Amino acid sequence: AASDVYKRQVFTRGQWDAVHAFASRNDLDIVCTLNAGPAARDRAGRWQGDNAAELLAYTARRGYPVAAWELGNEVNIFFSVHGLAAQVSVEQYAQDLEAVRRLVDRYTPGARLAGQGSAYWPVLGEPLGLVFGFLPGYLKHAGDVVDLITWHYYPQQSRRGPMASRRAYPSRLLDPHNLDEAAHWAYKIDRWRDEYAPGTAVWLGETGNAQFGGEPGLSDVYLGGLWWLDQLGLLARQGHRVVVRQSLTGMDYGLLDEDTLDPRPDYWNSLLWKRLMGARVYAVQATGDGADRLRVYAHAAASSEATSVTVLAINLDPRRNAVLSFPQFEGCAHEHYAVTAPDVLGRTVLLNGVELGLVDDRALPEIRADRHEGAGLPTVTVHPLSYTFVVF
């Protein structure tokens, strides 16, 4: 049966050792999803924790750090993967969370526990959400059991997918109304969090340019970066402290090319975000002609949160420059990181006119700014379909 197929997919001790070695070398945190599918359930549908206990006990013996354990991946749509008979009720899942809570507290007490990442589709939200409402349902029963609430969201679906609520297309991806949808669902989840699990952090635990492996020629090119940076800014403003990208490598939405491991455009965008945008988020708004096609975000600068501010401006207009002035920073020195491309549907990324690429195929290049001394009113021109970071 279907469950027998999943039982043949085995995660080994050697693979777990390799994951932790990779994370240790690169100073990364690990979040691991535990199996909550048919292979981990008895005939009555109850979660069986024996296999998870083996993994947690081995992790404890080896002294491996795990930032968080998550029970199940998109349990809210098990019906579409495993069949209707395998769909788990919110009441059963709440009991399952209590069982895994005991295991986490026993073996890895420093780790946090996350509920399953509910899949959210563009336009629809949670599939069958109106009649099932898995995420608010399980929080109502077990909001006090989890330390993290995670959800998954893709703004569009690739041509690979058998169904779509918003098929991938460049103009749809960059429509301001469609971009704002991520904040719409995040706001709803925040409301449920406030009602059932006050104070619990919300993470976007999985996201990419297009569901079903990404869209060839859109998810792996420069143009997709306008969406990626906008969603990071949008959800930071919403209060999300963590956004997890699908994926580091693999398919068309990977940050690295699957065959060559060369950085794709969104790798460079992620690097710039981490280097320039700090954790403190400020309210900011653009006004004036064409402001509806301009997305602006402001954070404390990552390099000096106490004394500097980074503004990210994304120009969605395909034809017109956006000319920004910053009266708040008159007289301040400022650095520009302008990102453009000779072909918006290509993979070449220019930073202040210089192509970004690895040095000797293995090292990151120096990230250089155009510096402007503080004299008069700062103005910045953002070219069509481009984005600029300005550090004041």
Side-chain angles (χ1 to χ4, degrees), residues 347-368:
R347 293 190 180 182
T348 299
V349 176
L350 306 179
L351 176 62
N352 294 326
V354 178
E355 182 176 349
L356 288 171
L358 297 178
V359 178
D360 297 328
D361 292 330
R362 62 181 298 165
L364 292 176
E366 183 180 355
I367 303 299
R368 296 180 178 176

Side-chain angles (χ1 to χ4, degrees), residues 17-271:
D17 294 340
V19 166
H20 282 275
F22 178 81
S24 177
R25 288 195 305 272
N26 293 285
D27 193 25
L28 302 173
D29 292 328
I30 290 178
V31 177
C32 181
T33 301
L34 299 170
N35 185 8
R41 296 187 177 276
D42 63 17
R43 292 186 178 276
R46 294 182 293 259
W47 184 70
Q48 303 298 289
D50 297 349
N51 189 246
E54 284 187 62
L55 175 61
L56 269 70
Y58 180 76
T59 300
R61 287 199 303 273
R62 300 284 295 193
Y64 289 150
V66 173
W69 301 94
E70 183 181 51
L71 181 59
N73 177 69
E74 298 182 353
V75 178
N76 67 315
I77 57 169
F78 269 14
F79 66 88
S80 68
V81 180
H82 305 294
L84 284 172
Q87 186 59 54
V88 179
S89 70
V90 293
E91 293 82 5
Q92 179 60 60
Y93 184 71
Q95 295 178 25
D96 302 338
L97 281 172
E98 292 175 354
V100 78
R101 173 88 268 175
R102 292 190 289 271
L103 291 178
V104 170
D105 289 347
R106 175 183 177 185
Y107 292 109
T108 58
R112 288 181 282 185
L113 174 62
Q116 58 88 42
S118 273
Y120 272 69
W121 280 33
V123 182
L124 300 178
E126 268 197 306
L128 302 185
L130 292 177
V131 296
F132 198 47
F134 197 93
L135 192 148
Y138 94 74
L139 286 179
K140 182 177 180 179
H141 291 278
D144 58 343
V145 177
V146 296
D147 305 305
L148 295 170
I149 300 165
T150 63
W151 63 297
H152 299 174
Y153 176 73
Y154 294 79
Q156 54 185 356
Q157 285 101 4
S158 162
R159 68 185 76 169
R160 293 188 183 90
M163 61 192 76
S165 55
R166 180 184 296 132
R167 192 65 75 184
Y169 195 73
S171 62
R172 291 182 188 145
L173 176 66
L174 299 181
D175 182 294
H177 175 77
N178 294 340
L179 290 173
D180 285 338
E181 191 179 330
H184 168 77
W185 299 120
Y187 174 75
K188 285 184 174 292
I189 293 168
D190 283 348
R191 293 284 298 273
W192 292 322
R193 181 272 312 275
D194 292 344
E195 183 173 359
Y196 301 123
T200 304
V202 179
W203 290 6
L204 184 60
E206 180 182 316
T207 190
N209 181 282
Q211 197 177 7
F212 305 117
E215 178 69 9
L218 179 55
S219 299
D220 54 351
V221 300
Y222 165 87
L223 191 66
L226 279 75
W227 156 78
W228 177 225
L229 290 172
D230 184 77
Q231 185 166 286
L232 288 174
L234 201 67
L235 292 178
R237 194 164 65 193
Q238 188 71 28
H240 280 46
R241 291 183 173 273
V242 172
V243 172
V244 180
R245 173 64 183 250
Q246 175 84 336
S247 58
L248 178 61
T249 185
M251 305 297 282
D252 291 298
Y253 45 35
L255 298 179
L256 304 177
D257 184 277
E258 191 169 7
D259 297 320
T260 66
L261 299 184
D262 289 337
R264 286 175 171 164
D266 273 352
Y267 179 91
W268 300 116
N269 293 325
S270 303
L271 178 67

Side-chain angles (χ1 to χ4, degrees), residues 227-381:
W227 156 78
W228 177 225
L229 290 172
D230 184 77
Q231 185 166 286
L232 288 174
L234 201 67
L235 292 178
R237 194 164 65 193
Q238 188 71 28
H240 280 46
R241 291 183 173 273
V242 172
V243 172
V244 180
R245 173 64 183 250
Q246 175 84 336
S247 58
L248 178 61
T249 185
M251 305 297 282
D252 291 298
Y253 45 35
L255 298 179
L256 304 177
D257 184 277
E258 191 169 7
D259 297 320
T260 66
L261 299 184
D262 289 337
R264 286 175 171 164
D266 273 352
Y267 179 91
W268 300 116
N269 293 325
S270 303
L271 178 67
L272 288 168
W273 176 275
K274 295 285 276 187
R275 291 275 183 92
L276 301 174
M277 304 290 275
R280 184 181 300 128
V281 183
Y282 296 110
V284 63
Q285 184 176 7
T287 59
D289 183 35
D292 59 327
R293 302 293 294 178
L294 185 68
R295 315 282 284 193
V296 183
Y297 302 98
H299 288 212
S303 60
S304 181
E305 292 215 352
T307 59
S308 301
V309 172
T310 302
V311 176
L312 167 61
I314 305 170
N315 185 5
L316 302 177
D317 196 299
R319 291 176 293 275
R320 299 174 57 191
N321 288 335
V323 181
L324 288 70
S325 62
F326 298 88
Q328 302 94 327
F329 298 110
E330 186 164 3
C332 291
H334 46 102
E335 298 175 340
H336 295 188
Y337 300 81
V339 184
T340 57
D343 177 4
V344 296
L345 295 178
R347 293 190 180 182
T348 299
V349 176
L350 306 179
L351 176 62
N352 294 326
V354 178
E355 182 176 349
L356 288 171
L358 297 178
V359 178
D360 297 328
D361 292 330
R362 62 181 298 165
L364 292 176
E366 183 180 355
I367 303 299
R368 296 180 178 176
D370 280 348
R371 183 170 177 84
H372 302 259
E373 296 305 323
L377 180 67
T379 60
V380 176
T381 298

